[in-house]
Amino acid sequence: MQTFDPNQISVPTGHFINGALVGDAGAETMAVRRPSDGQVYAQLPLADEALVDRAVEASWKAWRSSDWARRAPRDRARVLRRWADLVEADAPTLGLIEAVGSTRPVRDVMAWDIPFTAEGLRFFAEYADKIGGEVAATQHSQLGMTIAEPYGVVGAITPWNFPLVMVSWKVGAALAAGNAVVLKPSELTPFSSLRLAELAVQAGVPADIFNVVQGYGHVAGDALSRHQRIAKMTFTGSTRTGSSIMATCAQYGPKPVTLELGGKSPQLVFDDAPDIDRLAALIAGAITGNAGQVCVAGSRLIVQRGIAEELIERVAAHFAAHRPGPTWDAEATLPPIISASQGVRIDGIVSRAKEAGAIVRCGGSFADIAAARQGGAYYLPTLLEGVDGDNPAVREEIFGPVLTVQTFEEEDEGLLLAAHECYGLAAGVHTADISRALRAVRKLEAGTVWVNRYGRSNDFVIPTGGYHQSGIGKDLGRQAVEANLRFKSVLVDFAVPV
Ligand SMILES: NC(=O)C1=CN([C@@H]2O[C@H](COP(=O)(O)OP(=O)(O)OC[C@H]3O[C@@H](n4cnc5c(N)ncnc54)[C@H](O)[C@@H]3O)[C@@H](O)[C@H]2O)C=CC1
Ligand SMILES: O=Cc1ccc(S(=O)(=O)O)cc1
């Protein structure tokens, strides 16, 4: 059953500058495809350096001349809350723009992405007046203090896997702290952020305080990172691109970066893990959700031998039960891969994994369904056994529904397997033994450790971010707001006669 007709959805296109959609007559454009069936559904103007400069200069002028940074934080908070309300009210439009152009099934967009976008904005609104400077312990004739101040214009570059949610996390934190933002969304999912920007203006965000430029990463994203008026960059995406942005920020600044990057997150399961049925569903869901296109996807199952076969069998049964299909198919449970080339990349890693000894327990190929024959890419949930730490499927971020399995006998052996040579984004630990769980929490080198659960709740106060090559800094939490503030030290000598 089809929940909406993708051919009936029209999307806003262009850049968003000075509170309105902006075309760019004569500019190069790109055909944007629906991931679900590979069909071109809109054209996107591509920003060059001059367009990026125009958007950033406009934001900088607005930041200097409007009262956005100077008004009481609670007044910014009120605008963000209104924005959140508009996002929820606009779900019938915003949600369909998101679902038609991304890998997010419309059911999930309405139940998760829209509420998470709105609640994320509310969370940052609540923090707007909660973070301040401090009074220092100085001699009594002096007053020493720090004052929290916004940076100015923050540059944000976001990925395609959760287009709306990622934008709300980056932009919400920066605006709450009193910054202006110029956003470059992924060129693969560019449109929902335009609608979000329209709603921001309706909510009362002053013109040019939130601008959006569209285009390729190596052109528009690079121009944004290099721009002299961009005081800080925040990015989510691959480790490779994050490193390149950081190098650019060092060369053209230096300016600070927040980077939320790749992962290869382990699910460490002990023999005594509670409720094997629930656990199997959780392990399967953590790698098939959004077809594995999640930075914190639980992509490596590391399981103690006593429970291994029973768990693997149940996880494989969940995998086999999936029904791939377009984001508008009400019965589909597995969404598409974002693009044909990403599909080829996933299949390439699986092929190399097999050459290196991996045994395919299930999946291991594209799904042959009608939407795939039209041009969508669907990869079957894949379970790979017989892998060691050198196998490409264990080492490389796949960003698809591919789970590797490794088994162990002793706790230390399991913890050793869970450690990855470069990534440290998230980890799951499953055991009924609280001491063992806490030992694992201490030993795992990961930015987030979930015990007997996996994945985010709506506790936005818990930050997300990686260790090692999985990133620098945090999205969400108090830390995300702090990362959008700089602290000025002030010392007043009031013993001086004036
Ligand atoms: N951590 C996460 O949530 C994500 C991780 N990835 C990983 O990255 C792999 C490749 O996917 P891509 O879409 O190519 O990721 P990417 O990291 O290259 O792209 C993410 C964003 O960065 C921009 N970008 C690309 N090159 C840039 C540059 N030189 N300067 C500034 N901005 C630039 C893109 O336009 C997009 O907006 C995936 O297979 C996956 O492993 C991808 C998306 C999200
Ligand atoms: O892929 C992006 C992403 C998804 C979820 C989370 S978390 O569950 O909040 O850690 C973080 C990033």
Side-chain angles (χ1 to χ4, degrees):
M1 201 186 70
Q2 194 164 303
T3 50
F4 65 91
D5 179 353
N7 297 318
Q8 298 300 316
I9 309 297
S10 67
V11 293
T13 186
H15 313 284
F16 191 86
I17 301 173
N18 194 21
L21 288 172
V22 175
D24 196 7
E28 203 189 329
T29 59
M30 139 183 183
V32 183
R33 294 176 185 278
R34 301 191 292 236
S36 290
D37 59 5
Q39 301 300 300
V40 172
Y41 75 112
Q43 295 290 326
L44 183 72
L46 299 170
D48 58 10
E49 185 154 359
L51 193 287
V52 171
D53 181 57
R54 178 179 154 198
V56 175
E57 285 294 337
S59 281
W60 189 74
K61 283 195 187 103
W63 185 73
R64 299 268 294 206
S65 62
S66 80
D67 72 338
W68 182 249
R70 293 187 298 272
R71 68 176 72 169
R74 287 193 74 74
D75 294 337
R76 282 198 299 272
R78 192 173 312 119
V79 173
L80 291 180
R81 280 197 301 272
R82 214 179 293 137
W83 191 12
D85 294 344
L86 290 174
V87 165
E88 282 171 342
D90 195 53
T93 300
L94 182 62
L96 293 191
I97 295 172
E98 185 78 332
V100 77
S102 77
T103 63
R104 305 293 299 141
V106 67
R107 182 186 53 241
D108 294 353
V109 168
M110 297 306 178
W112 196 87
D113 302 59
I114 294 278
F116 260 56
T117 298
E119 281 295 296
L121 295 175
R122 287 194 188 102
F123 169 80
F124 288 120
E126 286 155 14
Y127 256 98
D129 65 353
K130 305 293 181 297
I131 295 180
E134 26 181 60
V135 175
T138 53
Q139 52 180 283
H140 287 189
S141 62
Q142 296 184 346
L143 180 62
M145 58 192 165
T146 56
I147 304 174
E149 295 184 331
Y151 276 98
V153 187
V154 170
I157 298 179
T158 49
W160 42 262
N161 52 346
F162 295 94
L164 270 179
V165 173
M166 292 297 120
V167 169
S168 70
W169 290 1
K170 304 275 187 206
V171 178
L175 291 187
N179 297 283
V181 181
V182 178
L183 164 75
K184 194 211 78 67
S186 168
E187 62 276 24
L188 300 178
T189 53
F191 302 120
S192 57
S193 51
L194 295 174
R195 183 72 181 172
L196 201 60
E198 286 175 338
L199 298 174
V201 169
Q202 281 177 35
V205 173
D208 283 326
I209 288 294
F210 174 29
N211 282 345
V212 183
V213 293
Q214 307 283 6
Y216 293 128
H218 67 282
V219 181
D222 184 56
L224 189 62
S225 313
R226 273 191 285 113
H227 203 288
Q228 290 300 309
R229 300 269 196 228
I230 294 291
K232 182 218 150 109
M233 283 299 298
T234 177
F235 167 78
T236 294
S238 65
T239 294
R240 187 185 166 146
T241 299
S243 298
S244 150
I245 288 172
M246 188 168 175
T248 304
C249 287
Q251 192 184 345
Y252 291 87
K255 47 186 133 186
V257 289
T258 297
L259 303 174
E260 223 262 68
L261 308 176
K264 198 70 213 176
S265 303
Q267 295 270 24
L268 183 57
V269 178
F270 292 94
D271 282 347
D272 64 347
D275 194 347
I276 192 162
D277 281 331
R278 176 188 165 274
L279 179 60
L282 191 121
I283 301 276
I287 188 65
T288 54
N290 206 24
Q293 300 164 110
V294 185
C295 56
V296 294
S299 54
R300 294 185 295 133
L301 174 58
I302 293 161
V303 54
Q304 207 164 16
R305 289 218 175 87
I307 195 179
E309 189 44 43
E310 207 181 337
L311 182 64
I312 293 166
E313 205 174 297
R314 287 173 202 223
V315 171
H318 280 285
F319 279 14
H322 269 290
R323 182 185 153 154
T327 56
W328 49 83
D329 179 344
E331 274 95 46
T333 60
L334 188 80
I337 302 302
I338 185 71
S339 64
S341 61
Q342 270 291 116
V344 169
R345 194 184 145 272
I346 292 168
D347 196 46
I349 300 177
V350 171
S351 293
R352 286 192 282 120
K354 287 193 281 186
E355 280 161 25
I359 297 156
V360 179
R361 172 85 169 233
C362 65
S365 62
F366 288 98
D368 183 18
I369 59 171
R373 289 190 285 278
Q374 284 177 288
Y378 293 82
Y379 208 77
L380 293 172
T382 299
L383 225 158
L384 298 177
E385 296 178 286
V387 293
D388 59 22
D390 287 334
N391 192 288
V394 174
R395 297 179 66 200
E396 297 174 29
E397 182 175 50
I398 300 178
F399 233 59
V402 181
L403 180 67
T404 59
V405 185
Q406 294 169 278
T407 58
F408 67 93
E409 207 72 64
E410 301 298 330
E411 182 177 315
D412 282 348
E413 197 190 342
L415 285 163
L416 213 59
L417 288 174
H420 190 272
E421 61 185 3
C422 62
Y423 291 128
L425 193 53
V429 180
H430 306 276
T431 175
D433 180 341
I434 184 69
S435 301
R436 178 148 68 187
L438 292 176
R439 279 197 299 276
V441 165
R442 283 291 196 193
K443 285 188 183 158
L444 287 165
E445 298 262 323
T448 298
V449 182
W450 285 296
V451 177
N452 293 330
R453 62 165 290 131
Y454 202 86
R456 167 153 294 286
S457 63
N458 65 357
D459 301 303
F460 296 110
V461 72
I462 298 175
T464 179
Y467 279 17
H468 303 302
Q469 291 176 26
S470 289
I472 294 175
K474 301 285 186 185
D475 278 336
L476 297 181
R478 169 180 55 77
Q479 291 86 342
V481 184
E482 274 175 0
N484 280 284
L485 290 163
R486 49 193 178 165
F487 291 84
K488 181 177 282 171
S489 300
V490 181
L491 194 59
V492 182
D493 194 331
F494 54 84
V496 176
V498 283

